[in-house]
Amino acid sequence: MRRRLRRRAWRLTKPARLLETARVNRQQSVIPAATTLAKFLWQLRVNGLDRLLTGDEWARVIYHLCKHRGFHGPVAPRKNRADGDSKGESGKVKQGPAGTAKLMKEKGYRSTAEMVLAEFPEAQRNKQGDYGKALSRVLLGEELALLFQKQRELGNPHTDAALEQAISRRWRPQERSVLGAKLALAGSDPPKMLGKCTFEKAEFRAPKASFTAERHVWLTRLNNLRIVVDGVTRPLTEQERAIALPAALQASRPYL
């Protein structure tokens, strides 16, 4: 939880610094530090599609999108389990963004903010156990790009490609693999993250989640296991070890 809160705070600090840098570089006071937020930010996001936003409004819109960047879909194994659990928590989380995306497409809304204000005028955020208003990060990314495009056409001076790219890159770090970038643990990356074995200096250590490491832990536990019979403690015999050795594989979870 500490790590999650720290990352979220840092993720919001970066766009605020980018906006402040843009203000300093242009020597104008139209873009504030973006640390104060006003009401009706959803409406501002809709207004940004049709009229030129002031520097203050534009900063608030960008910061609001960075703060509420949407739901990022699960990876394949978790996605498959969510498909088969439509009534459970994971299934509801997955169905929420799918439902809002379908609604947006059917009714032809230009952006997620426009859809949210029209469909959920009273409350724009999800409540506990209800994910009917969840938004996909892909849709919010499209809204961000559309807002930059519209504001650029309307003459907003703070819509240069460098700022848009910097905001998008920091706003969607987890989507880089989806957009074609190399996965964090692919190719030659895993060996770089592994240390060398204490005894076999030329060999890498086995990753903790690998079959080799798990088998090592299982064998260690068998070696350390003691049985107490009539107050006498003894280790497993060879016959008992032969019976217990495949037990871990036979009792393994279905998705392993």
Side-chain angles (χ1 to χ4, degrees):
M1 181 59 71
R2 288 195 299 269
R3 182 166 58 247
R4 182 179 180 182
L5 293 174
R6 183 175 65 250
R7 288 175 178 174
R8 184 173 187 270
W10 178 235
R11 190 178 73 242
L12 295 176
T13 299
K14 288 187 284 188
R17 289 182 177 177
L18 284 171
L19 295 172
E20 177 65 15
T21 300
R23 179 190 70 81
V24 173
N25 290 342
R26 293 180 179 275
Q27 297 182 350
Q28 298 175 359
S29 59
V30 292
I31 290 189
T35 55
T36 58
L37 298 176
K39 296 181 180 179
F40 311 119
L41 289 174
W42 290 93
Q43 186 61 54
L44 269 182
R45 284 163 57 175
V46 176
N47 294 344
L49 300 176
D50 301 310
R51 71 167 176 84
L52 177 64
L53 298 178
T54 66
D56 180 81
E57 292 172 336
W58 182 229
R60 294 172 191 272
V61 164
I62 292 178
Y63 194 80
H64 191 242
L65 277 165
C66 290
K67 188 174 184 180
H68 307 287
R69 56 180 186 163
F71 176 77
H72 184 58
V75 294
R78 287 182 291 170
K79 180 177 181 297
N80 294 336
R81 293 201 295 274
D83 289 338
D85 185 24
S86 59
K87 295 183 180 180
E89 188 76 8
S90 59
K92 292 179 181 179
V93 172
K94 177 180 175 294
Q95 290 175 358
T100 52
K102 181 180 179 181
L103 182 63
M104 183 173 170
K105 183 177 180 180
E106 289 177 348
K107 297 196 175 182
Y109 293 113
R110 294 175 297 172
S111 68
T112 55
E114 192 173 57
M115 183 268 294
V116 166
L117 284 182
E119 300 294 333
F120 316 112
E122 300 299 328
Q124 289 75 46
R125 302 296 304 277
N126 291 311
K127 295 186 178 180
Q128 187 174 10
D130 179 19
Y131 301 94
K133 302 169 189 173
L135 300 173
S136 165
R137 191 175 300 179
V138 175
L139 290 180
L140 289 167
E142 293 173 356
E143 179 181 357
L144 179 69
L146 180 61
L147 281 167
F148 265 94
Q149 175 189 335
K150 293 294 184 181
Q151 288 298 301
R152 193 177 291 122
E153 294 172 356
L154 292 168
N156 190 325
H158 307 287
T159 55
D160 54 276
L163 178 61
E164 180 180 3
Q165 184 179 7
I167 291 292
S168 299
R169 183 172 63 250
R170 286 165 171 78
W171 182 60
R172 299 176 295 178
Q174 295 180 3
E175 289 193 66
R176 295 180 63 189
S177 59
V178 179
L179 298 177
K182 184 174 62 174
L183 294 173
L185 294 177
S188 59
D189 286 338
K192 296 178 183 178
M193 302 174 68
L194 297 176
K196 295 290 186 177
C197 177
T198 304
F199 306 104
E200 301 289 340
K201 302 297 184 181
E203 300 293 335
F204 288 106
R205 296 174 182 168
K208 185 176 180 180
S210 68
F211 174 78
T212 304
E214 291 180 351
R215 187 172 185 274
H216 168 76
V217 172
W218 176 234
L219 291 175
T220 302
R221 290 182 177 178
L222 285 181
N223 288 336
N224 295 333
L225 183 63
R226 295 295 182 267
I227 297 178
V228 180
V229 180
D230 296 331
V232 178
T233 302
R234 66 173 180 82
L236 295 179
T237 65
E238 289 299 325
Q239 293 77 12
E240 290 170 338
R241 283 171 53 85
I243 296 174
L245 189 59
L249 295 177
Q250 296 170 357
S252 62
R253 291 170 289 181
Y255 57 85
L256 286 179

